[in-house]
Amino acid sequence: MGNALPLPGKPKMTQTRRADLSPDQSIGETVRIVVDKLFVRIQSGEYPPDSRLPSERALAAELGVSRNTVREALDVLEGRDMVRRRQGSGSFVTYQSYRYEAPVPGSVGERTSPLDHLIVRSIIEPEMTRLAVMNMTPKDLEGLAQVVAQIEAVRTDLNEFIRCEEEFYRAIARATRNPLLEACYELTIEVCRQSFRTALMRKHLTPGRIQSYQTRFNSLFNAIATRDVEAAVEITKLHLVEEQKLFLHDG
């Protein structure tokens, strides 16, 4: 077992943050709500790439807010490279949403239901985390801290968020020092790519929820770094409960 490496608080960032700020730091609550609503519509494909958004007047009427609020929300989305505003022409979607792989007919990805997937993750992830806390070396922790820093840098890029999340759990699986468990978990990642989950995340992963996930990953990292086995396992279980709520809400 490696020596404990207590790292209180958030891990030191190894990457420069993007220029845009998280919603609650830079904009008002009403603007944030409008940003989240438009963000979900863009991510879900309701407003596809290169399409023109409804006019500010139409959006203000539909959402029950002022045109100034809509204008501020569009400013935020433009700053995050999701829309481009053209003088006299309107606002156009520039964001390319994440596309997941279609499952191969007859493959485990095609045959796995949302409930199947959640059950397997609920069995594997808590115990995988427990083993990782016991066996993780200082070098492992350093690598995990770098992944957390990458997660913290994400604002609206779903593709990048999912990539970082996969790498975070891969690092935990490797730290178990159990090749069979690591291989089993790699299969759950492959199924994620070929399943409902990516579509579900694309639909629900608003900037506000990304921020919530970032906080949770930080908490999990700190529990692992301080060798707090029970806290790490509990945080992992709570994360799975949140995913279950999303699934049930979607259903």
Side-chain angles (χ1 to χ4, degrees), residues 49-60:
D50 300 321
S51 66
R52 183 168 66 180
L53 297 181
S55 67
E56 291 178 2
R57 184 187 301 276
L59 287 172

Side-chain angles (χ1 to χ4, degrees), residues 30-250:
T30 304
V31 175
R32 184 192 65 77
I33 291 171
V34 173
V35 168
D36 281 359
K37 287 182 178 180
L38 295 179
F39 178 85
V40 168
R41 293 179 185 184
I42 291 170
Q43 273 199 327
S44 68
E46 182 178 343
Y47 297 153
D50 300 321
S51 66
R52 183 168 66 180
L53 297 181
S55 67
E56 291 178 2
R57 184 187 301 276
L59 287 172
E62 178 190 352
L63 299 174
V65 297
S66 69
R67 289 185 63 180
N68 281 340
T69 296
V70 172
R71 191 172 297 117
E72 287 185 52
L74 292 173
D75 285 342
V76 172
L77 292 173
E78 185 174 34
R80 293 171 179 171
D81 298 323
M82 297 196 70
V83 303
R84 177 176 299 170
R85 304 174 77 185
R86 301 175 188 169
Q87 186 66 31
S89 298
S91 299
F92 294 81
V93 176
T94 56
Y95 177 79
Q96 298 289 330
S97 61
Y98 180 78
R99 305 296 179 187
Y100 61 92
E101 303 170 16
V104 176
S107 69
V108 66
E110 183 185 55
R111 292 181 286 114
T112 299
S113 72
L115 181 59
D116 292 336
H117 192 262
L118 278 171
I119 288 173
V120 170
R121 287 184 62 203
S122 297
I123 293 171
I124 292 178
E125 287 184 11
E127 292 309 310
M128 184 175 77
T129 300
R130 186 186 301 277
L131 283 173
V133 174
M134 295 168 60
N135 293 298
M136 191 166 280
T137 66
K139 184 177 179 180
D140 292 332
L141 285 170
E142 183 179 344
L144 194 61
Q146 292 175 359
V147 177
V148 173
Q150 293 171 15
I151 291 173
E152 287 242 320
V154 176
R155 288 295 172 269
T156 59
D157 190 338
L158 176 60
N159 190 7
E160 177 66 7
F161 182 86
I162 291 177
R163 185 196 69 77
C164 291
E165 182 187 46
E166 288 177 355
E167 188 53 39
F168 183 90
Y169 283 109
R170 276 197 182 98
I172 291 178
R174 287 193 299 268
T176 66
R177 302 294 186 265
N178 185 319
L180 181 57
L181 181 55
E182 183 180 351
C184 289
Y185 196 73
E186 187 63 33
L187 180 58
T188 71
I189 291 176
E190 290 179 13
V191 171
C192 272
R193 290 176 178 168
Q194 302 177 15
S195 72
F196 66 95
R197 185 177 182 270
T198 297
L200 184 65
M201 294 290 280
R202 185 172 66 243
K203 180 177 179 181
H204 292 287
L205 204 61
T206 64
R209 185 162 278 120
I210 286 176
Q211 187 180 31
S212 175
Y213 276 35
Q214 287 166 336
T215 300
R216 191 172 298 133
F217 279 117
N218 260 301
S219 297
L220 179 53
F221 171 79
N222 288 325
I224 292 172
T226 55
R227 308 293 181 179
D228 191 337
V229 176
E230 296 309 316
V233 171
E234 186 63 23
I235 293 167
T236 300
K237 290 179 178 179
L238 288 173
H239 185 77
L240 290 165
V241 169
E242 289 301 313
E243 291 237 346
Q244 184 181 37
K245 288 179 181 177
L246 285 182
F247 164 59
L248 294 174
H249 176 76
D250 191 65

